[in-house]
Structure formats: C-alpha cells, structure tokens
C-alpha cells in the first residue's frame, strides 16, 4: 500500500532541490536569491498576474491529464503536442463555420475537439496494438507533421483568413464562446469549471469504475491482467484514444474563452509541459492541478526578475531542475518506503514465531 510519504515527499523534495540549484546559480551570478524569489512572489499580486496564472494553469492541467491517462497504461503519449494543435485548428474551423444556439455551440466545439484529438492519436494507437510500434516514435513523428497540417488548413486558399501579417481561422460567433468570470482586474476562463469537472471524471474513472481498475492493472502488468481476463491490447487502444481526446481540449480554454480563433502564431509547447506536470503530480488529478499552478506561476512571474537585474531564464532552470529531480525523488522515497515496509514485515514475522522455535534457538 502506498504511504503518504510516497505521494507527498517526492514533489516537495523536487521543488526544494530545484530552489537550491537556482539559489546556487543566482549566487554565482552575483544576485541575491531571497530578493529574486521575493520579486517573483510579489509579482503574483500585481495586476492580472494571479488570474493569468490560473488561466495558464488550466491549459497545463488539461495537458497533464492527457499525459497521465497514457502513463496509467504505461504508455508515453509524447504526442499530446500534435494532438492538441490538430484538434484546436479543426475545432476552430468547424466552430467558426457554424452558428448554433448558445451552450449547444460550445458543446459542439468541445465534441469536435475531443473527436479530432482522438483521431490524431488513433494512428499511433493502431500501430502500437497491431505492429508493436513504439508510441514514442510514432507520436514524435506526428508532432512534426502537425505543423504542416496547421499551415495547410489555415492557408487562405483553404480555411484561413489573412489579417495583417497573421493567418488565422474565421472567428467563432458569440454563441460558441464560454463567458469569462470577472476576478479582480482580470477575467478567469469560464472553462476552468469544465477542466475541474474533467479532472473529477478522471479520478472517478480510475478509482470507482471497473475500466479504471483494468486500466491500472494492465499498466502494472499486462501478463497478470491477461490472466485476469483483461485484453491488454484493447486497453492500450482505448487509453491512447482517451488520452488523445483529452489532449484535444488543451487549447480550447483559450479558443472559446479569449482568442475565438486559431492562428498560425498560436502558442505551442503545451503538450511537452504536460509531461512535466503529470510527473510532478504523480498522475493524480489533485497533484497535477498543483503542478500546473506551480508551472504557470514560474512562467508568469519570470518576467519580473528583470526588474532586479536577474535573467528571467532562472525560472526555466528551476523548471528543468524540477523535472530532473522529481524522478530521482520518487525513486528515493519509494525505496525508503519499501525498505520500511520490509522491516515491519520482518519484525512481525520474528515476533510471531512459535514459542518452541524461539526456545530451541536459545538453547
């Protein structure tokens, strides 16, 4: 049974380790670490930084959930980047081409994004279960291909519109937008509520359904799962498609809550960030949420470091240190927890020996 130490200590150790590394880097560069960290924290309470952090964390959260679903099946879906970009451009094109009643229009865009993301994940999923092709290789290749697909679809000769020097899709009608929530000086994505619901659905699926049990069992050991009547190939296919579907929603908070269009210059890299967030959150929806908030905070507060003559790249160093140390921290705590469990079992067995055996040994 997993103890609280295995769940809580690794991310804490990873964060502490990354802070130490960055502190050393700051001292070497002649900067004051306390001043730098104080500036970053202070930035959080200025203007719309706090709201912007939560908005960005919503995107990271969805990306982390998509990666975590694959991790549960012992699959490394590194293709979240390509899946969300493909789904975003398709959802933007289709959503901008129709006008439906409010709510229905939003649901329609979400469904299109889900289907598009699953469709882009279908190729590596089928190759995995039919030919044993590594999902890492196939999804990396699809990540490279998606750039060309987006450029083709947003071309003015296809579905794009040239606005100034930027190419983008037709703007989504007001009926297809999710209202923002006014909060202080900023506006919080209304999609944050939907993201939270998806996180709850992910938790419920894993812990309260037969499918979730079979998914985790197959991820632990396909041989043992097969002995229990679970079709490992079927679970692999479903897990990849489900991961791709959730990946399709990554850019939707920005699409229906702020931009209302998808441009050739739209932000990239959310899929790769999701890998780090899922690792930091230990594939648990609550942990992923905290990891997403931490990552978004570092991204948004980094710019404030230039006010105290500290390169903003120090935040990137911290993020990298977290990624590197989180795996090591998990392994250290896991081994310590296992050793403690073995000692408890040893003491229980020695204390439960028959009296004759103990006496014979004493003689």
């Amino acid at each position: 049974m997993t103890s609280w130490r295995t769940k809580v200590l690794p991310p804490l150790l990873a964060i502490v380790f990354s802070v130490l590394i960055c502190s050393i880097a700051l001292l070497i560069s002649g900067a004051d670490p306390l001043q730098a960290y104080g500036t970053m924290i202070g930035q959080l309470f200025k203007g719309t930084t706090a709201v912007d952090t939560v908005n960005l964390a919503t995107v990271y959260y969805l990306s982390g959930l998509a990666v975590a679903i694959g991790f549960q099946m012992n699959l490394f879906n590194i293709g979240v980047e390509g899946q969300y970009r493909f789904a975003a451009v398709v959802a933007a094109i289709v959503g901008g081409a129709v006008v439906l009643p409010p709510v229905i229009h939003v649901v329609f865009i979400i469904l299109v994004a889900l289907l598009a993301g699953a469709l882009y994940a279908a190729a590596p999923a089928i190759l995995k279960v039919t030919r044993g092709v590594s999902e890492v290789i196939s999804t990396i290749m699809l990540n490279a291909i998606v750039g060309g697909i987006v450029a083709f679809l947003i071309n003015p000769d296809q579905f794009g519109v040239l606005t100034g020097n930027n190419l983008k899709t037709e703007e989504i009608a007001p009926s297809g937008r999710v209202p923002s929530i006014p909060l202080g000086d900023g506006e919080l994505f209304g999609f944050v509520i939907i993201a939270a619901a998806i996180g709850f659905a992910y938790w419920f699926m894993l812990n309260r359904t037969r499918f979730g049990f079979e998914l985790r069992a197959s991820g632990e050991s396909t041989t043992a799962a097969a002995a229990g009547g679970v079709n490992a190939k079927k679970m692999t296919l479903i897990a990849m498609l489900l991961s791709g579907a959730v990946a399709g929603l990554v850019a939707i908070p920005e699409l229906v809550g702020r931009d209302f269009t998808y441009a050739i210059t739209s932000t990239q890299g959310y899929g790769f960030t999701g890998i780090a967030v899922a690792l930091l959150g230990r594939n648990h929806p609550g942990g992923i949420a905290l990891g997403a908030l931490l990552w978004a905070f570092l991204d948004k507060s980094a710019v404030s470091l230039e006010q105290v003559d500290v390169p903003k790249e120090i935040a990137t160093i911290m993020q990298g240190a977290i990624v590197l140390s989180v795996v090591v921290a998990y392994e250290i705590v896991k081994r310590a927890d296992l050793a403690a469990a073995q000692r408890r079992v040893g003491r229980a067995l020695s204390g439960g020996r028959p009296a004759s055996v103990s006496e014979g040994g004493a003689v």
Side-chain angles (χ1 to χ4, degrees), residues 17-356:
F17 183 67
S18 66
V19 170
L20 289 175
I21 291 178
C22 291
S23 298
I24 294 173
L26 286 168
L27 289 172
I28 293 175
S29 64
D32 183 358
L34 293 179
Q35 183 185 25
Y37 298 144
T39 301
M40 292 177 67
I41 296 174
Q43 180 66 26
L44 188 63
F45 304 98
K46 295 181 181 179
T48 63
T49 303
V51 175
D52 293 341
T53 297
V54 177
N55 286 339
L56 184 59
T58 301
V59 177
Y60 288 166
Y61 182 62
L62 292 170
S63 182
L65 287 177
V67 175
I69 292 172
F71 280 163
Q72 293 292 347
M73 187 59 202
N74 203 24
L75 295 170
F76 194 1
N77 182 15
I78 203 172
V80 170
E81 178 72 15
Q83 291 151 19
Y84 94 75
R85 292 186 64 197
F86 178 77
V89 70
V90 171
I93 291 171
V94 176
V98 300
V99 177
L100 299 172
V103 181
I104 295 178
H105 195 172
V106 174
V107 173
F108 176 71
I109 292 174
I110 292 175
L111 290 176
V112 170
L114 287 168
L115 292 174
L119 177 63
Y120 208 69
I126 294 173
L127 289 173
K128 176 72 174 180
V129 299
T130 60
R131 292 292 182 267
V133 177
S134 171
E135 72 280 1
V136 175
I137 296 175
S138 57
T139 52
I140 286 177
M141 294 174 66
L142 286 172
N143 283 344
I145 293 172
V146 76
I149 295 176
V150 171
F152 172 76
L153 292 176
I154 301 183
N155 191 292
D157 295 332
Q158 303 303 325
F159 305 101
V161 177
L162 181 61
T163 304
N165 294 324
N166 196 14
L167 287 172
K168 55 185 180 180
T169 61
E170 291 282 354
E171 193 170 281
I172 296 175
S175 59
R177 303 173 184 179
V178 176
S180 299
I181 303 172
L183 192 63
D185 296 330
E187 292 187 345
L188 187 67
F189 286 154
F191 207 91
V192 68
I193 299 175
I194 300 176
I198 294 172
F200 175 78
Y202 166 76
W203 173 85
F204 185 86
M205 176 195 73
L206 286 180
N207 299 282
R208 294 293 185 271
T209 66
R210 177 178 176 179
F211 171 78
F213 172 78
E214 293 179 348
L215 181 68
R216 289 183 285 113
S218 300
E220 290 291 337
S221 173
T222 55
T223 304
V230 179
N231 189 328
K233 289 187 175 181
K234 177 182 176 182
M235 297 305 298
T236 298
L237 181 63
I238 295 176
M240 277 295 293
L241 294 178
L242 191 58
S243 177
V246 176
L249 297 178
V250 170
I252 301 304
E254 296 178 343
L255 180 64
V256 299
R258 186 189 65 194
D259 301 333
F260 315 122
T261 184
Y262 193 80
I264 197 73
T265 56
S266 292
T267 305
Q268 302 176 25
Y270 292 150
F272 300 116
T273 300
I275 298 173
V277 170
L279 286 172
L280 186 59
R282 195 59 174 173
N283 301 327
H284 187 280
I288 294 172
L290 294 176
L293 284 170
L294 173 62
W295 218 264
F297 162 71
L298 293 173
D299 279 344
K300 289 297 181 181
S301 61
V303 66
S304 65
L305 291 174
E306 295 181 344
Q307 300 173 9
V308 291
D309 298 324
V310 174
K312 63 180 181 180
E313 285 74 19
I314 196 68
T316 304
I317 295 175
M318 187 179 294
Q319 290 172 332
I322 290 175
V323 175
L324 291 175
S325 60
V326 68
V327 177
V328 177
Y330 278 131
E331 188 63 25
I332 291 174
V333 175
K334 180 181 178 181
R335 291 188 180 187
D337 198 55
L338 179 61
Q342 290 173 339
R343 287 194 296 269
R344 289 195 298 270
V345 172
R347 286 194 296 267
L349 291 176
S350 62
R353 289 176 182 174
S356 58

